[in-house]
């Protein structure tokens, strides 16, 4: 059930920064998803960012031409992948941003920015390869204990993402859903999330579910509380409680495909870290040694190939 690749020797820090190949499928369509240069960043997390060149600039007309409608350009799947065996729902624990930055002598913010580039590439791959749902673990409820300056930076980054990329998501038919305990999020971020969900709720090309301030245990507890209140109010009888009813009360009730087919965890850690605990009951797991900023197309293809080679028996025999 598990697929674990052995770590490869780490490359030179300078070489990895200077020689790392572009991660984008279309170099003309780089719009700095989750990484706008206008973001105000705390000094403790600041890092130098290369300025865009003339070759990176896309006119509004060109961008509209590239993203006209919700159907991406036809693209053959990489060798070894079969379209009929592609997962409908992929979940990702994006781990290793901090370690990636430390290895290069950079502040944590640089790692989060690099991780954003990997996420941008993954969203585009899922969009092109017709994966229906991508759920990413962006910020755990347990992450609130991290240094205040890092948490504030991440909250600002989330806000900037929604503000700068909402129109692009709309053009490409991407639906945005955010799951987790919103009570600790800044009010301005909560307002932006509500606006993004409303503006994209009818889109169906790809659903991007972002778990922010999320905990798998919290998810189950809030579902239990909701059902208990319905029992108390006479809406539901105790004998009516079953797996289907619990599923309807989980945070992932926002999607047609609440159970991930494949979970990918990066950075070599072999645990699910309180993520989608109920929903992962029969999910195929893939653990990659790469730190999240180093996880790209080749690594994603490897995870998908591994998934397609497995037999999913759900407790039975085949």
């Amino acid at each position: 059930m598990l697929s674990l690749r052995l770590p490869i020797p780490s490359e030179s820090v300078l070489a990895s920064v200077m020689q790392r190949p572009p991660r984008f499928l279309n170099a003309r369509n780089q719009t700095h998803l989750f990484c706008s240069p206008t973001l105000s960043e705390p000094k403790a997390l600041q890092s130098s960012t290369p300025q865009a060149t003339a070759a990176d600039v896309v006119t509004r007309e060109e961008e509209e031409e590239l993203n006209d409608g919700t159907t991406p350009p036809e693209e053959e799947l990489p060798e070894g992948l079969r379209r009929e065996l592609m997962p409908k729902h992929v979940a990702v624990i994006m781990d290793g941003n901090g370690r990636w930055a430390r290895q290069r002598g950079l502040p944590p913010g640089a790692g989060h920015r690099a991780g954003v580039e990997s996420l941008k590439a993954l969203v585009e791959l899922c969009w092109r390869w017709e994966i229906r749902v991508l759920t990413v673990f962006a910020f755990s409820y347990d992450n609130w204990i991290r240094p205040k300056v890092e948490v504030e930076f991440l909250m600002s980054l989330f806000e900037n993402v929604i503000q700068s990329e909402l129109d692009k998501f709309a053009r490409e038919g991407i639906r945005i859903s955010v799951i987790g305990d919103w009570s600790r999020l800044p009010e301005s971020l909560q307002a932006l999330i509500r606006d993004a969900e409303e503006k994209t709720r009818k889109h169906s090309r790809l659903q991007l579910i972002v778990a922010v301030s999320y905990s798998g245990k919290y998810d189950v507890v809030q579902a239990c509380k909701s059902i208990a209140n319905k029992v108390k109010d006479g809406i539901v009888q105790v004998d009516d409680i079953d797996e289907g009813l619990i599923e309807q009360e989980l945070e992932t009730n926002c999607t047609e495909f609440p159970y991930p087919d494949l979970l990918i965890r990066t950075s070599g850690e072999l645990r699910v870290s309180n993520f989608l605990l109920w929903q992962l009951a029969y999910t195929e797991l893939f653990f990659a040694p790469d730190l999240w900023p180093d996880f790209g197309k080749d690594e994603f293809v490897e995870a998908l190939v591994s998934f397609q080679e497995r037999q999913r028996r759900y407790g039975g025999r085949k």
Side-chain angles (χ1 to χ4, degrees):
M1 185 175 186
L2 306 185
S3 178
L4 176 62
R5 293 179 289 142
L6 295 177
I8 58 176
S10 60
E11 59 185 348
S12 163
V13 170
L14 288 178
S16 65
V17 175
M18 301 302 294
Q19 299 178 12
R20 185 180 175 192
R23 307 183 71 87
F24 303 94
L25 293 175
N26 186 343
R28 298 175 62 215
N29 194 22
Q30 299 181 21
T31 55
H32 297 280
L33 176 66
F34 294 86
C35 191
S36 170
T38 62
L39 177 65
S40 177
E41 182 177 347
K43 291 183 178 180
L45 294 174
Q46 287 179 351
S47 64
S48 59
T49 303
Q51 298 297 314
T53 65
D56 296 324
V57 178
V58 180
T59 67
R60 183 177 183 84
E61 291 76 13
E62 287 176 320
E63 186 173 344
E64 289 177 350
E65 180 181 352
L66 287 168
N67 297 302
D68 185 24
T70 61
T71 303
E74 291 186 6
E75 178 180 310
E76 292 292 331
L77 291 176
E79 184 177 357
L81 289 180
R82 296 170 57 185
R83 192 170 297 278
E84 69 273 17
L85 296 180
M86 292 292 281
K88 290 182 173 63
H89 185 169
V90 174
V92 183
I93 299 176
M94 307 179 294
D95 191 26
N97 291 343
R99 276 171 281 175
W100 186 92
R102 286 196 300 272
Q103 288 178 2
R104 290 156 177 78
L106 300 172
H112 294 308
R113 288 186 181 278
V116 157
E117 297 302 313
S118 289
L119 177 55
K120 175 162 56 173
L122 185 63
V123 169
E124 185 171 351
L125 289 172
C126 290
W127 182 73
R128 289 178 176 270
W129 296 348
E130 300 181 3
I131 291 170
R132 299 294 301 279
V133 182
L134 172 64
T135 299
V136 296
F137 204 3
F139 188 82
S140 168
Y141 189 86
D142 301 321
N143 291 153
W144 287 108
I145 65 174
R146 291 189 175 185
K148 182 179 178 180
V149 65
E150 183 176 1
V151 171
E152 290 179 346
F153 169 74
L154 288 170
M155 294 300 111
S156 296
L157 188 60
F158 296 153
E159 289 195 27
N160 182 263
V161 168
I162 297 172
Q163 291 172 332
S164 63
E165 301 303 323
L166 183 56
D167 288 343
K168 181 176 185 292
F169 285 152
R171 289 195 302 272
E172 295 183 346
I174 297 175
R175 179 184 175 187
I176 305 300
S177 301
V178 179
I179 61 175
D181 181 2
W182 292 17
S183 65
R184 297 186 65 176
L185 300 179
E187 291 185 3
S188 56
L189 177 55
Q190 294 183 39
L192 286 170
I193 290 172
R194 285 191 291 268
D195 182 58
E197 289 190 331
E198 175 61 26
K199 287 183 177 179
T200 64
R201 64 185 177 86
K202 294 183 179 181
H203 299 165
S204 59
R205 178 70 200 185
L206 169 68
Q207 185 172 6
L208 174 61
I209 301 176
V210 183
V212 179
S213 190
Y214 177 85
S215 154
K217 292 181 179 179
Y218 153 82
D219 199 356
V220 174
V221 168
Q222 65 83 26
C224 291
K225 287 182 177 179
S226 178
I227 293 173
N229 284 327
K230 290 181 178 180
V231 171
K232 179 181 177 182
D233 295 338
I235 301 173
V236 171
Q237 300 301 312
V238 172
D239 290 341
D240 295 332
I241 301 175
D242 57 13
E243 292 183 8
L245 182 59
I246 294 174
E247 176 187 316
Q248 294 173 23
E249 298 294 339
L250 293 172
E251 294 272 290
T252 46
N253 64 7
C254 63
T255 180
E256 180 183 357
F257 306 100
Y259 297 111
D261 299 298
L262 171 65
L263 170 72
I264 299 170
R265 172 141 192 176
T266 61
S267 83
E269 303 293 350
L270 308 180
R271 54 180 177 268
V272 297
S273 294
N274 201 7
F275 184 48
L276 300 178
L277 297 181
W278 177 282
Q279 297 88 336
L280 295 179
Y282 281 101
T283 298
E284 298 294 327
L285 309 180
F286 184 90
F287 297 102
D290 315 85
L291 300 177
W292 174 243
D294 293 325
F295 188 91
K297 180 178 179 179
D298 291 343
E299 290 75 22
F300 189 40
V301 169
E302 183 178 354
L304 293 173
V305 169
S306 174
F307 169 80
Q308 294 189 354
E309 290 175 345
R310 305 180 191 184
Q311 291 187 354
R312 306 188 73 191
R313 294 184 292 272
Y314 300 98
R317 288 193 177 93
K318 289 186 180 180

